[in-house]
């Protein structure tokens, strides 16, 4: 993107790396995540005012562990190392890093021991989020400690003269309540950024980028029914007009009423060329007997692309596919341009794409987070009920239906899910949660209905609150609401006699069950 200043985040594989980027953008400065071994010219093009080294799963001494680029060591830019980033700084500058006898994972209390612009306007003792096994034991020459924790003599350290700083904790996560202030201090007090970037700048640049990526020929856009693909389609339509054809594949894995809503919004409201493909039988046949979640995602991803290619052959000169891939999709999939991270799961529009795909992929939202996509959707005129819809996974209900997939089980899940969302809206809590859904478990249990013994299915319901979808907590829904949802599902959904509520946070769980 075009900007006069940026904070570059070098990616060492932390699951929180892109969250650092989000926090910097929230502070009003553009930021991008780039590979740790990106060449200096790539970095220079971003006009960096400072560099942040992310955390990562490696040990600095491990064979093949990613290291600090020479250009960082030679530059005069301010540098902030986080967790593994701090350990790299010390390792390359003559300090000592060693495994810790007492690992720190989770909440810890740090005490500020020296004045520093990095920790300005922050209480002397406060809670932070730790996640490390190794720890810094000896500081490099010129460095001094600025904060300690019970297990880390150097929870934060600095070389003020060089403007190099390091943190053993993660300021980017919500579990570090003063983390935003730490990053704000680095951005403005140390890097002296002006802070003029706004997400609204993204729209025009995205339009221009699509025009450059697809200068001629037909472009098709994969609509899923979610806000991400909808915003991607509107951007593409603004960029190339009638050269865009949207394709909506009804794969039989959608929520109730989804197909009808897509048709009304795009064909009737936005007047965009829309082809609807009824492929439910194809998908269900391909998924027959498959229970492994990764296999489900791969099958669905490939089937989607094959259908798009088939439909593209009916369009003159179709060569491009627009998808609504977001930053979190990329990080959890460990896409080819981010192979230093540990893969959590495959997203069908990232890692699930077949290698021999013939369409060139355009991903205008790849650098954005969900809140930025919603802001763009409102600016583009997308109806509010679309903009604020909860995220829906690319593989659809296939990854909310654990075990083998069948039409009957899908109908059971669709009905239960519709009841949960209906009651959540009626209680005025839909917008208070960021994602809510039902899951059909491959578990049956004994129950009693009337005077009869039952042996029937179990539905799990899940609702989470989150700022970024990188971490999430289970929503504390009122007992009365949960009771009503449970009662309705058991009484209205055939074949279900038990409802459970998921109270797992992310991490250690993911938001989706598969």
């Amino acid at each position: 993107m075009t900007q006069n200043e940026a904070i570059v985040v070098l990616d060492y594989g932390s699951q929180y790396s892109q969250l650092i980027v989000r926090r910097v953008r929230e502070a009003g400065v553009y930021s991008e995540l780039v590979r740790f071994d990106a060449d200096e010219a790539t970095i220079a093009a971003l006009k960096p005012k400072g560099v942040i080294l992310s955390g990562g799963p490696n040990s600095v001494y491990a064979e093949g562990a990613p290291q600090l680029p020479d250009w960082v060591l030679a530059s005069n830019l301010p540098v902030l190392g986080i967790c593994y980033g701090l350990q790299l700084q010390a390792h390359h500058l003559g300090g000592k890093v060693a495994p810790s006898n007492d690992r720190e994972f989770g909440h810890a209390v740090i005490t500020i021991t020296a004045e520093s612009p990095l920790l300005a306007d922050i209480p002397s003792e406060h809670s932070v989020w730790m996640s490390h096994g190794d720890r810094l034991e000896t500081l490099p020459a010129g460095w001094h400690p600025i904060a300690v924790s019970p297990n880390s003599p150097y929870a934060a350290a600095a070389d003020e003269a060089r403007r190099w700083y390091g943190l053993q904790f993660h300021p980017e996560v919500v579990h570090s309540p003063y983390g935003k202030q730490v990053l704000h201090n680095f951005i403005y007090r140390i890097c002296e950024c002006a802070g003029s970037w706004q997400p609204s700048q993204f729209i025009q640049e995205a339009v221009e980028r699509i025009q450059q990526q697809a200068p001629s020929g037909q472009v098709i856009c994969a609509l899923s029914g979610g806000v991400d693909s909808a915003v991607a389609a509107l951007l593409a339509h603004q960029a190339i007009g009638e050269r865009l054809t949207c394709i909506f594949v009804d794969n039989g894995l959608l929520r109730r009423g989804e197909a009808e809503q897509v048709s009304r919004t795009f064909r009737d409201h936005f007047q965009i060329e829309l082809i609807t493909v009824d492929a439910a039988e194809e998908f269900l046949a391909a998924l027959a007997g498959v229970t492994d979640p990764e296999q489900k995602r791969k099958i669905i991803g490939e089937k989607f692309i094959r259908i798009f290619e088939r439909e593209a052959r009916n369009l003159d000169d179709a060569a491009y596919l627009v998808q609504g891939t977001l930053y979190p999709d990329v990080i959890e999939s460990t896409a080819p341009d981010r192979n230093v991270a540990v893969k959590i799961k495959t997203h069908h529009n990232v890692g699930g794409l077949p290698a021999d795909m013939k369409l060139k992929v355009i991903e205008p939202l790849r650098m954005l987070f969900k809140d930025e996509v919603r802001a763009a959707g409102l600016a583009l005129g997308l109806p509010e009920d679309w903009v604020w819809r909860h995220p829906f996974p690319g593989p659809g209900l296939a990854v909310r239906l654990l075990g083998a997939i069948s039409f009957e089980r899908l109908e059971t899940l669709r009905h239960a899910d519709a009841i949960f969302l209906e009651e959540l809206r009626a209680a005025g809590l839909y917008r208070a949660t960021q994602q809510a859904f039902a899951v059909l478990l491959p578990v049956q249990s004994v129950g009693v209905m009337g005077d009869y013994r039952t042996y029937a299915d179990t539905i799990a319901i899940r609702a989470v609150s989150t700022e970024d979808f990188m971490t999430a907590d289970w929503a504390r829904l009122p007992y009365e609401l949960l009771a009503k949802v449970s009662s309705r599902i058991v009484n209205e959904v055939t074949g279900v006699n038990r409802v459970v509520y998921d109270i797992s946070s992310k991490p250690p769980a993911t938001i989706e069950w598969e």
Side-chain angles (χ1 to χ4, degrees):
M1 296 186 186
T2 304
Q3 78 288 324
N4 295 319
E5 62 181 12
I7 298 295
V8 172
V9 179
L10 294 191
D11 183 17
Y12 286 95
S14 169
Q15 301 301 333
Y16 302 135
S17 292
Q18 298 190 37
L19 189 50
I20 303 170
V21 175
R22 175 192 164 110
R23 296 296 180 230
V24 175
R25 291 187 194 177
E26 287 175 344
V29 175
Y30 184 68
S31 181
E32 277 193 22
L33 183 70
V34 297
R35 283 183 54 92
F36 72 93
D37 56 358
D39 61 80
E40 191 172 357
T42 299
I43 305 300
L46 294 170
K47 304 174 186 174
K49 295 290 290 288
V51 178
I52 298 178
L53 313 175
S54 84
N58 296 285
S59 170
V60 293
Y61 296 112
E63 184 178 351
Q67 299 298 320
L68 202 58
D70 291 339
W71 67 262
V72 174
L73 293 164
S75 78
N76 293 318
L77 292 171
V79 178
L80 174 63
I82 296 174
C83 203
Y84 182 77
L86 165 61
Q87 294 164 14
L88 272 180
Q89 289 171 303
H91 179 56
H92 281 265
L93 297 174
K96 182 181 178 183
V97 177
S100 174
N101 292 327
D102 299 307
R103 295 183 174 191
E104 285 187 300
F105 293 100
H107 287 285
V109 174
I110 67 167
T111 302
I112 297 174
T113 56
E115 288 189 9
S116 170
L118 185 68
L119 301 179
D121 300 327
I122 293 173
S124 59
E125 283 196 357
H126 63 277
S127 179
V128 297
W129 186 260
M130 296 280 193
S131 180
H132 65 94
D134 292 352
R135 73 172 184 175
L136 179 58
E137 291 202 340
T138 304
L139 288 174
W143 285 64
H144 67 280
I146 57 177
V148 300
S149 77
N151 191 44
S152 295
Y154 309 116
D159 179 345
E160 310 278 8
R162 193 176 184 179
R163 297 186 298 169
W164 276 44
Y165 299 82
L167 304 171
Q168 193 62 77
F169 61 90
H170 287 273
E172 69 273 23
V173 301
V174 295
H175 309 297
S176 294
Y178 293 95
K180 287 186 180 181
Q181 183 62 45
V182 173
L183 292 173
H184 188 277
N185 288 340
F186 179 71
I187 294 163
Y188 290 102
R189 291 176 181 265
I190 296 167
C191 298
E192 300 180 343
C193 291
S196 58
W197 186 79
Q198 296 292 332
S200 56
Q201 296 172 228
F202 157 78
I203 294 176
Q204 185 55 40
E205 294 191 12
V207 167
E208 292 172 3
R209 194 178 303 113
I210 293 169
Q211 291 169 339
Q212 292 167 2
Q213 289 178 292
S216 61
Q218 292 295 309
V219 177
I220 60 178
C221 180
L223 280 181
S224 68
V227 64
D228 304 336
S229 64
V231 171
L234 293 180
L235 285 170
H237 189 247
Q238 190 166 316
I240 59 174
E242 293 182 359
R243 286 200 289 126
L244 174 71
T245 298
C246 288
I247 297 179
F248 175 66
V249 177
D250 185 349
N251 58 9
L253 305 170
L254 303 173
R255 292 172 290 198
R256 274 195 173 180
E258 209 140 39
E260 294 79 8
Q261 186 185 35
V262 170
S263 180
R264 283 196 310 271
T265 301
F266 282 85
R267 184 178 286 129
D268 302 337
H269 182 70
F270 287 112
Q271 306 291 306
I272 294 176
E273 181 70 23
L274 176 65
I275 296 172
T276 300
V277 182
D278 183 356
E281 290 186 4
E282 284 186 67
F283 277 87
L284 291 180
L287 292 165
V290 177
T291 59
D292 179 73
E294 278 296 293
Q295 204 47 34
K296 288 180 184 178
R297 289 175 178 271
K298 293 282 189 181
I299 290 170
I300 291 167
E302 176 158 5
K303 181 63 68 175
F304 263 115
I305 295 301
R306 297 310 177 208
I307 290 172
F308 290 135
E309 288 181 336
R310 187 176 71 204
E311 294 299 324
R313 286 195 290 271
N314 297 324
L315 300 171
D316 294 333
D317 201 23
Y320 303 93
L321 169 65
V322 173
Q323 291 196 138
T325 309
L326 304 190
Y327 248 9
D329 298 338
V330 176
I331 188 172
E332 290 195 339
S333 294
T334 315
D337 61 349
R338 195 177 183 273
N339 58 20
V340 292
V342 176
K343 186 172 80 170
I344 304 299
K345 60 188 176 184
T346 298
H347 286 261
H348 86 274
N349 55 341
V350 186
L353 298 179
D356 63 342
M357 185 181 68
K358 296 179 175 58
L359 297 170
K360 296 176 182 177
V361 176
I362 297 174
E363 296 171 316
L365 311 179
R366 187 180 178 87
M367 302 300 291
L368 296 189
F369 294 96
K370 181 68 74 173
D371 59 326
E372 294 171 328
V373 172
R374 286 188 168 126
L378 290 171
L380 290 165
L382 192 65
E384 282 205 12
D385 61 336
W386 267 80
V387 169
W388 294 107
R389 292 184 77 189
H390 288 179
F392 188 58
L397 297 180
V399 292
R400 294 179 178 175
L401 193 161
L402 278 59
I405 296 170
S406 67
F407 176 78
E408 292 74 22
R409 296 191 77 214
L410 283 166
E411 284 296 286
T412 296
L413 178 56
R414 255 189 282 269
H415 193 175
D417 186 71
I419 289 172
F420 183 29
L421 296 183
E422 179 185 322
E423 291 298 337
L424 200 61
R425 289 189 175 95
L429 293 173
Y430 184 80
R431 288 276 295 274
T433 58
Q434 282 66 58
Q435 196 161 357
F437 52 90
V439 179
L440 179 58
L441 305 183
V443 173
Q444 292 187 311
S445 64
V446 174
V448 177
M449 300 182 78
D451 294 325
Y452 297 95
R453 173 189 183 274
T454 62
Y455 190 63
D457 288 326
T458 301
I459 288 283
I461 55 176
R462 179 144 171 80
V464 300
S465 56
T466 178
E467 288 188 3
D468 46 54
F469 293 90
M470 303 301 293
T471 61
D473 198 9
W474 59 279
R476 272 62 171 177
L477 298 181
Y479 290 160
E480 295 79 8
L481 172 61
L482 293 174
K484 188 172 184 182
V485 170
S486 176
S487 177
R488 281 197 60 191
I489 289 175
V490 168
N491 282 283
E492 297 177 31
V493 182
T494 303
V496 174
N497 68 356
R498 190 178 299 272
V499 176
V500 298
Y501 187 48
D502 183 348
I503 58 170
S504 307
S505 62
K506 175 186 179 181
T510 54
I511 295 176
E512 297 287 348
W513 278 48
E514 288 190 342

